[in-house]
Amino acid sequence: MQSDHQELDRLDRAILSVLARDGRISITDLAQEIGLSKSPTQSRLRRLEASGVIKGYHALLDPIRLGMDHVAFVEVKLTETREKALQAFNAAVREVPEIEQAHMIASHFDYLLKVRTTSMSAYRTVLGEKISTLPYVGSTSTYVAMQAVKETGLAEM
C-alpha cells in the first residue's frame, strides 16, 4: 500500500513554517530566513508545490470583521452509511458555502460540521433549507460556539 505521506527534512519544514506565517514572503527573504541561497530554496518550494504538500496560497480573512461571527457545530446522523450514501452526502456538503469544515466521525453520529453564518436566524435558515435537506440526513444536533479560544491553521512544522 502506497502512502501519501511526504518525507520532509529540516529545511522543507522551515520553508513550510515561514510560509504558514507569511505566504507572501519573497523568495529572497524566504531563502535568507531559512539559511539557504535563492536557487535551492526556489527548487525546494517548487517541489513542495508539485508534490501537493503546499496546496495553494490564500488570503486569511477575518470572519468577525466580515460579520460572520455566528459559529455552530452540527452533529449529523445519516439514515444509512453505505458508500453510496457517504459519497452523496460528501459531495452535497461541498456545495454549501456556510459549511466551513466537515469531518466524518467515529462516534454515535456520523459527521461533525462547522457552520459559519451572520446570525442565529441565518443559521436557522441554513439548517432548515440546506443541511437538513442534504442526502441521507436522518437527524442533527446543534452546538453554538460562544467564543473561539483558538483558531489556527497548521502554522508550525
Side-chain angles (χ1 to χ4, degrees), residues 95-116:
E95 300 301 315
V96 180
E98 293 87 356
I99 299 175
E100 269 190 7
Q101 297 178 10
H103 302 273
M104 184 184 286
I105 302 292
S107 182
H108 63 281
F109 59 96
D110 301 304
Y111 285 87
L112 182 65
L113 310 178
K114 180 182 179 186
V115 181
R116 186 178 291 277

mmCIF file of all heavy atoms in Angstrom, residues 95-116:
data_model
loop_
_atom_site.group_PDB
_atom_site.id
_atom_site.type_symbol
_atom_site.label_atom_id
_atom_site.label_comp_id
_atom_site.label_asym_id
_atom_site.label_seq_id
_atom_site.Cartn_x
_atom_site.Cartn_y
_atom_site.Cartn_z
ATOM 1 N N GLU A 95 -20.951 21.675 -1.535
ATOM 2 C CA GLU A 95 -21.688 22.719 -2.261
ATOM 3 C C GLU A 95 -22.342 23.747 -1.341
ATOM 4 O O GLU A 95 -22.946 24.701 -1.820
ATOM 5 C CB GLU A 95 -22.757 22.077 -3.157
ATOM 6 C CG GLU A 95 -22.197 21.123 -4.195
ATOM 7 C CD GLU A 95 -21.211 21.801 -5.137
ATOM 8 O OE1 GLU A 95 -21.505 22.918 -5.604
ATOM 9 O OE2 GLU A 95 -20.131 21.212 -5.387
ATOM 10 N N VAL A 96 -22.251 23.584 -0.042
ATOM 11 C CA VAL A 96 -22.873 24.514 0.909
ATOM 12 C C VAL A 96 -21.796 25.456 1.435
ATOM 13 O O VAL A 96 -20.962 25.057 2.254
ATOM 14 C CB VAL A 96 -23.560 23.760 2.073
ATOM 15 C CG1 VAL A 96 -24.208 24.750 3.041
ATOM 16 C CG2 VAL A 96 -24.582 22.766 1.545
ATOM 17 N N PRO A 97 -21.800 26.717 1.002
ATOM 18 C CA PRO A 97 -20.713 27.630 1.370
ATOM 19 C C PRO A 97 -20.642 27.940 2.866
ATOM 20 O O PRO A 97 -19.560 28.242 3.377
ATOM 21 C CB PRO A 97 -21.005 28.896 0.562
ATOM 22 C CG PRO A 97 -22.422 28.793 0.142
ATOM 23 C CD PRO A 97 -22.764 27.338 0.103
ATOM 24 N N GLU A 98 -21.727 27.849 3.581
ATOM 25 C CA GLU A 98 -21.720 28.150 5.013
ATOM 26 C C GLU A 98 -21.030 27.059 5.826
ATOM 27 O O GLU A 98 -20.655 27.283 6.980
ATOM 28 C CB GLU A 98 -23.154 28.331 5.528
ATOM 29 C CG GLU A 98 -23.859 29.550 4.967
ATOM 30 C CD GLU A 98 -24.572 29.297 3.629
ATOM 31 O OE1 GLU A 98 -24.454 28.173 3.076
ATOM 32 O OE2 GLU A 98 -25.241 30.218 3.134
ATOM 33 N N ILE A 99 -20.866 25.870 5.252
ATOM 34 C CA ILE A 99 -20.162 24.791 5.950
ATOM 35 C C ILE A 99 -18.673 24.985 5.735
ATOM 36 O O ILE A 99 -18.155 24.787 4.644
ATOM 37 C CB ILE A 99 -20.620 23.399 5.463
ATOM 38 C CG1 ILE A 99 -22.117 23.201 5.737
ATOM 39 C CG2 ILE A 99 -19.790 22.301 6.146
ATOM 40 C CD1 ILE A 99 -22.688 21.909 5.182
ATOM 41 N N GLU A 100 -17.981 25.408 6.798
ATOM 42 C CA GLU A 100 -16.537 25.655 6.740
ATOM 43 C C GLU A 100 -15.743 24.368 6.795
ATOM 44 O O GLU A 100 -14.696 24.251 6.171
ATOM 45 C CB GLU A 100 -16.095 26.520 7.931
ATOM 46 C CG GLU A 100 -16.113 27.975 7.673
ATOM 47 C CD GLU A 100 -15.441 28.765 8.798
ATOM 48 O OE1 GLU A 100 -14.846 28.185 9.737
ATOM 49 O OE2 GLU A 100 -15.532 29.982 8.726
ATOM 50 N N GLN A 101 -16.202 23.427 7.597
ATOM 51 C CA GLN A 101 -15.497 22.166 7.763
ATOM 52 C C GLN A 101 -16.513 21.052 7.897
ATOM 53 O O GLN A 101 -17.596 21.256 8.455
ATOM 54 C CB GLN A 101 -14.616 22.176 9.013
ATOM 55 C CG GLN A 101 -13.508 23.189 8.986
ATOM 56 C CD GLN A 101 -12.699 23.176 10.281
ATOM 57 O OE1 GLN A 101 -12.835 22.296 11.122
ATOM 58 N NE2 GLN A 101 -11.829 24.167 10.425
ATOM 59 N N ALA A 102 -16.151 19.875 7.422
ATOM 60 C CA ALA A 102 -16.989 18.686 7.581
ATOM 61 C C ALA A 102 -16.062 17.501 7.837
ATOM 62 O O ALA A 102 -15.139 17.262 7.063
ATOM 63 C CB ALA A 102 -17.836 18.443 6.339
ATOM 64 N N HIS A 103 -16.319 16.801 8.921
ATOM 65 C CA HIS A 103 -15.474 15.675 9.306
ATOM 66 C C HIS A 103 -16.335 14.442 9.548
ATOM 67 O O HIS A 103 -17.324 14.518 10.274
ATOM 68 C CB HIS A 103 -14.701 15.987 10.592
ATOM 69 C CG HIS A 103 -13.851 17.207 10.483
ATOM 70 N ND1 HIS A 103 -12.568 17.169 9.992
ATOM 71 C CD2 HIS A 103 -14.103 18.506 10.766
ATOM 72 C CE1 HIS A 103 -12.067 18.393 10.001
ATOM 73 N NE2 HIS A 103 -12.976 19.222 10.460
ATOM 74 N N MET A 104 -15.950 13.313 8.951
ATOM 75 C CA MET A 104 -16.586 12.039 9.273
ATOM 76 C C MET A 104 -16.041 11.618 10.633
ATOM 77 O O MET A 104 -14.833 11.669 10.870
ATOM 78 C CB MET A 104 -16.267 10.984 8.222
ATOM 79 C CG MET A 104 -16.982 9.671 8.481
ATOM 80 S SD MET A 104 -16.514 8.397 7.294
ATOM 81 C CE MET A 104 -17.373 8.966 5.852
ATOM 82 N N ILE A 105 -16.938 11.212 11.506
ATOM 83 C CA ILE A 105 -16.582 10.949 12.892
ATOM 84 C C ILE A 105 -16.888 9.493 13.256
ATOM 85 O O ILE A 105 -17.911 8.953 12.839
ATOM 86 C CB ILE A 105 -17.396 11.877 13.835
ATOM 87 C CG1 ILE A 105 -17.155 13.355 13.503
ATOM 88 C CG2 ILE A 105 -17.115 11.585 15.299
ATOM 89 C CD1 ILE A 105 -15.771 13.860 13.810
ATOM 90 N N ALA A 106 -16.028 8.884 14.051
ATOM 91 C CA ALA A 106 -16.288 7.557 14.597
ATOM 92 C C ALA A 106 -16.935 7.755 15.964
ATOM 93 O O ALA A 106 -16.251 7.919 16.973
ATOM 94 C CB ALA A 106 -14.993 6.760 14.717
ATOM 95 N N SER A 107 -18.264 7.798 15.993
ATOM 96 C CA SER A 107 -18.988 8.087 17.226
ATOM 97 C C SER A 107 -20.427 7.621 17.086
ATOM 98 O O SER A 107 -20.750 6.857 16.179
ATOM 99 C CB SER A 107 -18.932 9.597 17.502
ATOM 100 O OG SER A 107 -19.579 9.919 18.717
ATOM 101 N N HIS A 108 -21.301 8.139 17.927
ATOM 102 C CA HIS A 108 -22.721 7.816 17.840
ATOM 103 C C HIS A 108 -23.419 8.644 16.759
ATOM 104 O O HIS A 108 -24.599 8.483 16.521
ATOM 105 C CB HIS A 108 -23.406 8.019 19.202
ATOM 106 C CG HIS A 108 -23.377 9.431 19.670
ATOM 107 N ND1 HIS A 108 -22.255 9.996 20.245
ATOM 108 C CD2 HIS A 108 -24.304 10.400 19.624
ATOM 109 C CE1 HIS A 108 -22.511 11.252 20.538
ATOM 110 N NE2 HIS A 108 -23.746 11.526 20.177
ATOM 111 N N PHE A 109 -22.684 9.559 16.130
ATOM 112 C CA PHE A 109 -23.163 10.296 14.965
ATOM 113 C C PHE A 109 -22.122 10.130 13.871
ATOM 114 O O PHE A 109 -21.033 9.606 14.112
ATOM 115 C CB PHE A 109 -23.441 11.770 15.301
ATOM 116 C CG PHE A 109 -22.240 12.523 15.832
ATOM 117 C CD1 PHE A 109 -21.445 13.284 14.988
ATOM 118 C CD2 PHE A 109 -21.912 12.467 17.183
ATOM 119 C CE1 PHE A 109 -20.346 13.972 15.469
ATOM 120 C CE2 PHE A 109 -20.804 13.153 17.672
ATOM 121 C CZ PHE A 109 -20.024 13.906 16.823
ATOM 122 N N ASP A 110 -22.449 10.571 12.654
ATOM 123 C CA ASP A 110 -21.591 10.265 11.505
ATOM 124 C C ASP A 110 -20.677 11.410 11.064
ATOM 125 O O ASP A 110 -19.566 11.173 10.598
ATOM 126 C CB ASP A 110 -22.465 9.826 10.324
ATOM 127 C CG ASP A 110 -23.294 8.606 10.698
ATOM 128 O OD1 ASP A 110 -22.701 7.595 11.110
ATOM 129 O OD2 ASP A 110 -24.535 8.670 10.596
ATOM 130 N N TYR A 111 -21.157 12.646 11.167
ATOM 131 C CA TYR A 111 -20.385 13.808 10.710
ATOM 132 C C TYR A 111 -20.469 14.931 11.724
ATOM 133 O O TYR A 111 -21.488 15.090 12.409
ATOM 134 C CB TYR A 111 -20.931 14.338 9.380
ATOM 135 C CG TYR A 111 -20.566 13.485 8.195
ATOM 136 C CD1 TYR A 111 -21.358 12.407 7.823
ATOM 137 C CD2 TYR A 111 -19.432 13.751 7.431
ATOM 138 C CE1 TYR A 111 -21.032 11.616 6.735
ATOM 139 C CE2 TYR A 111 -19.103 12.973 6.337
ATOM 140 C CZ TYR A 111 -19.903 11.903 5.999
ATOM 141 O OH TYR A 111 -19.568 11.130 4.922
ATOM 142 N N LEU A 112 -19.401 15.719 11.783
ATOM 143 C CA LEU A 112 -19.397 16.952 12.555
ATOM 144 C C LEU A 112 -19.112 18.083 11.576
ATOM 145 O O LEU A 112 -18.096 18.069 10.879
ATOM 146 C CB LEU A 112 -18.339 16.922 13.663
ATOM 147 C CG LEU A 112 -18.294 18.157 14.556
ATOM 148 C CD1 LEU A 112 -19.599 18.289 15.355
ATOM 149 C CD2 LEU A 112 -17.105 18.075 15.507
ATOM 150 N N LEU A 113 -20.024 19.043 11.513
ATOM 151 C CA LEU A 113 -19.897 20.177 10.603
ATOM 152 C C LEU A 113 -19.613 21.444 11.396
ATOM 153 O O LEU A 113 -20.201 21.648 12.466
ATOM 154 C CB LEU A 113 -21.196 20.387 9.817
ATOM 155 C CG LEU A 113 -21.825 19.186 9.119
ATOM 156 C CD1 LEU A 113 -23.122 19.603 8.431
ATOM 157 C CD2 LEU A 113 -20.855 18.568 8.141
ATOM 158 N N LYS A 114 -18.758 22.283 10.871
ATOM 159 C CA LYS A 114 -18.572 23.626 11.410
ATOM 160 C C LYS A 114 -19.253 24.568 10.437
ATOM 161 O O LYS A 114 -18.881 24.635 9.263
ATOM 162 C CB LYS A 114 -17.093 23.981 11.545
ATOM 163 C CG LYS A 114 -16.876 25.392 12.101
ATOM 164 C CD LYS A 114 -15.398 25.736 12.190
ATOM 165 C CE LYS A 114 -15.205 27.148 12.708
ATOM 166 N NZ LYS A 114 -13.786 27.550 12.661
ATOM 167 N N VAL A 115 -20.245 25.286 10.931
ATOM 168 C CA VAL A 115 -21.064 26.156 10.085
ATOM 169 C C VAL A 115 -20.908 27.592 10.562
ATOM 170 O O VAL A 115 -21.046 27.885 11.750
ATOM 171 C CB VAL A 115 -22.555 25.732 10.163
ATOM 172 C CG1 VAL A 115 -23.406 26.624 9.272
ATOM 173 C CG2 VAL A 115 -22.706 24.263 9.775
ATOM 174 N N ARG A 116 -20.626 28.496 9.633
ATOM 175 C CA ARG A 116 -20.439 29.913 9.978
ATOM 176 C C ARG A 116 -21.470 30.748 9.240
ATOM 177 O O ARG A 116 -21.586 30.649 8.019
ATOM 178 C CB ARG A 116 -19.034 30.370 9.626
ATOM 179 C CG ARG A 116 -18.738 31.791 10.109
ATOM 180 C CD ARG A 116 -17.330 32.207 9.782
ATOM 181 N NE ARG A 116 -16.319 31.493 10.542
ATOM 182 C CZ ARG A 116 -15.924 31.810 11.776
ATOM 183 N NH1 ARG A 116 -16.478 32.809 12.416
ATOM 184 N NH2 ARG A 116 -14.975 31.111 12.369
#
